[in-house]
Amino acid sequence: MDFEFTEEQRMAIDGARRFAQEKLAPAVAELDEKGEVNLKALKELGGLGYLGMTVAEEDGGSALGAVAYAGSMIEFSKVDAGCAVAVSVQNSLVNDAVAHFGTPAQRKRFLPKLASGEWIGCFSLTEAGAGSDPASMRTTAKRQDGGFVLNGTKNFTTNGGIADAIIVFTRSEAPPGGKPGISAFLLTKDAPGFKVGKHENKMGIRTSSTTEMVFEDCRLPADALLGEEGKGLKVALATLDGGRIGIASQAVGIAEGALEEAVRYAKERVQFGKPIAELEGLQFMLADMATEVEVAKTMLFRVAWMKDAGKPRFTKEAAMLKLYASEMAHRVCHKAVQVHGGYGFMKEYKVERLYRDQRITEIYEGTSEIQRYVIARSILGA
Ligand SMILES: Cc1cc2nc3c(=O)[nH]c(=O)nc-3n(C[C@H](O)[C@H](O)[C@H](O)COP(=O)(O)OP(=O)(O)OC[C@H]3O[C@@H](n4cnc5c(N)ncnc54)[C@H](O)[C@@H]3O)c2cc1C
């Protein structure tokens, strides 16, 4: 067992910290207020290799691996959790799906552009009537003229408004001799019949784009299929295991950022003639926060290590990690606001944003209830 980062991992994480301070921190408060994406910074991250961290070098990636990715995500999330989720979707949900399920032609066409940030990607699974239960989706793909025609509307798609490449999941007809199922498709934003729909106005991660994706007689060639026809749910579920590493690292970063702010504030704020950091009640609160962040971080790097080590499945571990890290971040951000008293409720203080940003980590890529369901099924052998 080795708990040290390699030199390469350390350099990637240190670089992410510098980037977050220099490029994300100055802009985040205003962009959060306006609900706008820092697309310039996101593109720059592509140039620096942070949008292709698990993509092989021969496919144009930086191949730094999941541990370096998790550590970098912590640094981005501390400062701008909206930009961080865009990085997470690109690495975990889009690149990984294309790398694992794409044909050689799809890998060649999409991965170099995604890994360099020339293209931004998104992963469109959820619909208005199909969230925790994606199998009940209603978007359809019908075979026509040797290709497919898609109809339906996806919602809540992260990066939707800035995406050049789209992974979308549909209900599909039974192939000759097969059964109907869910299929995944990989397309570009200029596909005829596709358009971006409503842009969501959100509580948190306001520097990320979340939109509807509308398919109206959207015509795709046969080679737009990602993975086997009718086996799209497998693509979604296997990809989401890795995705949960991204969201857990987002939660850890938000929590660590809130802890750092709380420590700083507790040392500065004077009440009853001394800094509030000298009050035992607050010291215990800070000690609990720091301990919880450390536990989640340890779990995070273990699951990221499992991915780098090529362990075939880490579904249970990824679900436990995402569940613990996101609920930990909830508790830590709650306490960080408490340490700030009334000032924590004000937009001038960073904890106010972190508190709002944290909330989504308990919801997307599977709610906490769904993570508990996945864990229970695994330990009960169901
Ligand atoms: C900001 C944002 C970004 C998102 N980005 C993406 C994206 O990029 N791509 C994408 O495809 N989706 C995305 N989503 C969708 C997200 O993954 C879903 O919102 C989430 O999976 C929950 O689905 P739902 O909102 O329909 O809630 P529902 O499934 O309707 O759940 C409502 C409540 O019921 C509970 N529940 C449901 N089923 C069970 C069960 N079996 N047992 C116990 N409790 C249950 C849930 O835990 C929840 O508390 C995003 C959502 C948001 C808000």
Side-chain angles (χ1 to χ4, degrees), residues 242-266:
R244 285 167 188 158
I245 296 176
I247 302 310
S249 45
Q250 185 191 31
V252 170
I254 293 171
E256 199 167 65
L259 171 65
E260 286 170 8
E261 290 300 306
V263 168
R264 187 176 11 252
Y265 187 81

Side-chain angles (χ1 to χ4, degrees), residues 245-297:
I245 296 176
I247 302 310
S249 45
Q250 185 191 31
V252 170
I254 293 171
E256 199 167 65
L259 171 65
E260 286 170 8
E261 290 300 306
V263 168
R264 187 176 11 252
Y265 187 81
K267 286 179 175 171
E268 285 168 5
R269 176 70 172 169
V270 174
Q271 288 291 278
F272 299 99
K274 57 184 178 186
I276 59 172
E278 290 180 24
L279 303 170
E280 193 180 57
L282 282 199
Q283 287 178 356
F284 283 7
M285 213 191 279
L286 292 169
D288 286 345
M289 291 158 74
T291 305
E292 287 213 66
V293 170
E294 195 57 35
V295 171
K297 223 174 178 178

Side-chain angles (χ1 to χ4, degrees), residues 89 93 123-128 130-133 155-158 202 205 210 360 363-367 369-370:
V89 165
L93 298 189
F123 180 94
S124 217
L125 177 67
T126 303
E127 295 179 6
S132 300
D133 176 21
N155 71 351
F156 294 169
T157 299
T158 300
K202 308 189 291 290
I205 56 162
T210 313
I360 190 61
I363 296 171
Y364 56 18
E365 298 201 24
T367 62
E369 292 72 37
I370 293 301

Side-chain angles (χ1 to χ4, degrees), residues 8-51:
E8 201 179 36
Q9 288 164 343
R10 169 62 51 211
M11 279 171 64
I13 296 167
D14 288 349
R17 184 179 310 114
R18 276 195 304 278
F19 186 92
Q21 288 309 328
E22 288 166 17
K23 302 286 169 91
L24 301 180
V28 64
E30 191 182 334
L31 293 175
D32 172 70
E33 189 70 28
K34 292 181 179 163
E36 287 176 9
V37 174
N38 194 340
L39 191 56
K40 182 167 177 278
L42 194 57
K43 293 272 179 187
E44 269 184 65
L45 284 172
L48 294 169
Y50 289 102
L51 296 186

Side-chain angles (χ1 to χ4, degrees), residues 164-178:
D164 306 283
I166 300 147
I167 294 178
V168 63
F169 295 85
T170 72
R171 183 162 292 291
S172 63
E173 294 174 313

